[in-house]
Every structure is written in structure tokens, then in C-alpha cells.
Amino acid sequence: MTTPDEMKRYVRDVPDYPQKGIIFRDITPLLGDKNIFREVVELMSKAWTKDPPDLVAAIEARGFIPGAAIAVKLGAGFVPIRKTGKLPWMTVMESYDLEYGTDQLEVHSDAVQPGQKVLIVDDVLATGGTASAAVRLMRKLGADVVGVQVLIELGYLDGRQRLSDVKLVSEITY
Ligand code: AMP
């Protein structure tokens, strides 16, 4: 079993990307290692196996990678949460702040039935703006949001406080 500190060796820190002052946590080395990637999917599924969600809703684009694998592992369906203008059908929208800039998230309006249990997945929790917008978006559709699962939590940005009304699980903290 790889410890969180050992896993950090597979996360590349890229200073000043995409803008000055940001340390970008690049997970591509971790995804490219067959053993670590499998372990990450298992770790990110662990908290939710006892009472699995009906759906995993993951956030474009890097959230899709662990999100789809977690959905298969938990026996859940998958819902893509996307940036504006990417989805072909009727959508609902929610605005949010990024660590760098602002944006909107969209989901198909028929992606979730009221009362369905939804787990939200992303790669990195930074300021928490994206994940909290995803929670609001899912609740707009009547979802029972059971939690938010991220791989990496940037503790120094305190995103966790924006998600105080939902169970939040992270595997690697900086
Ligand atoms: P935030 O809304 O500030 O919590 O930002 C989280 C979203 O932006 C996630 O979808 C991440 O993929 C991305 N993100 C923000 N900051 C970083 C960072 N330092 N390294 C990698 N991804 C980041």
C-alpha cells in the first residue's frame, strides 16, 4: 500500500502554471503508472463502498479520469459536469470562482432524478469554488449529494470550509 507521502512523488508540481504564483499539481505521472492509478481509484472509492451512490458526477476535465473508474468500481452511473456550451441537450448552470478566474458549470437537466444519491468527484480541491458549485448544481436537480471525493486537497487554500455541509474526503493533502 502506497502512503500519501509516497504518492506525492507521482504528482508533479509545476510552478507558475497556468499563471504566476500558482503551483499546478499535475497528476499525469500518477495516471501513467498502472499500479498507482489502480491504487488511487481503489482509495478514492473506499469511503463510499458501504453505501454506494446511484451516480458519480465528475467535473471536467481531470475529474472525469478517476470519476469514471470510481463509478464502475462502485456500480454507479456516471454524469459529466462540464464547462458551458459543451453539452448537447438541455442544461442547468451554476457559476463559480476558480483559484485562477471565474467560470460556469453545466449538467444535462435530466442527468439526475430527484432523490438519487450522487457522489461528486474531482482531481484537486483548491479554493472549493468548483466543488461547491457542483454540489449546488446537483441539488438544483433534486440530488441527494452524499459527498465530495477528491484526490488532492490544497489545505492552504481552505476550500474545505466552503463544503462544510457535505462529507468531503481527500487522499493527498498539501
Ligand atoms: P477550486 O475551484 O479553486 O477548488 O479549483 C479546483 C478546480 O481547478 C479543479 O477542477 C482543479 O482541477 C483545478 N485546479 C485549481 N487549482 C489547481 C492546482 N493548483 N493544480 C491543479 N489543478 C487545480
Side-chain angles (χ1 to χ4, degrees):
M1 196 69 184
T2 314
T3 66
D5 268 348
E6 287 165 346
M7 274 196 190
K8 282 185 181 171
R9 287 197 272 116
Y10 295 86
V11 178
R12 177 163 41 211
D13 293 346
V14 186
D16 299 323
Y17 182 89
Q19 66 185 47
K20 211 167 166 42
I22 304 292
I23 304 171
F24 192 85
R25 312 291 176 173
D26 172 24
I27 62 166
T28 59
L30 183 151
L31 299 173
D33 184 293
K34 62 182 179 187
N35 295 319
I36 300 291
F37 184 32
R38 194 194 52 240
E39 231 183 283
V40 159
V41 172
E42 278 162 11
L43 263 179
M44 292 178 78
S45 304
K46 210 171 158 195
W48 319 99
T49 47
K50 238 182 159 181
D51 187 14
D54 300 302
L55 295 165
V56 170
I59 302 167
E60 180 177 358
R62 289 177 299 278
F64 289 177
I65 304 163
I70 292 165
V72 171
K73 181 130 189 110
L74 295 177
F78 181 83
V79 173
I81 298 178
R82 302 209 61 179
K83 308 285 165 62
T84 34
K86 302 279 185 74
L87 287 166
W89 186 240
M90 282 183 284
T91 57
V92 289
M93 197 189 81
E94 191 66 45
S95 294
Y96 68 106
D97 299 321
L98 263 181
E99 191 183 359
Y100 36 87
T102 64
D103 226 330
Q104 287 88 38
L105 293 178
E106 279 187 350
V107 69
H108 276 152
S109 51
D110 61 356
V112 180
Q113 300 310 307
Q116 279 192 302
K117 289 188 289 180
V118 176
L119 171 65
I120 291 166
V121 170
D122 205 358
D123 64 335
V124 173
L125 183 83
T127 64
T130 310
S132 58
V135 171
R136 293 195 301 277
L137 192 59
M138 288 297 114
R139 287 180 176 156
K140 262 186 189 172
L141 296 182
D144 170 12
V145 178
V146 295
V148 174
Q149 172 74 54
V150 296
L151 174 58
I152 295 169
E153 177 177 357
L154 305 182
Y156 50 88
L157 293 174
D158 211 13
R160 185 171 277 275
Q161 54 139 36
R162 295 172 88 157
L163 291 159
S164 53
D165 64 339
V166 72
K167 177 175 169 179
L168 168 66
V169 181
S170 62
E171 308 306 330
I172 305 172
T173 306
Y174 289 85

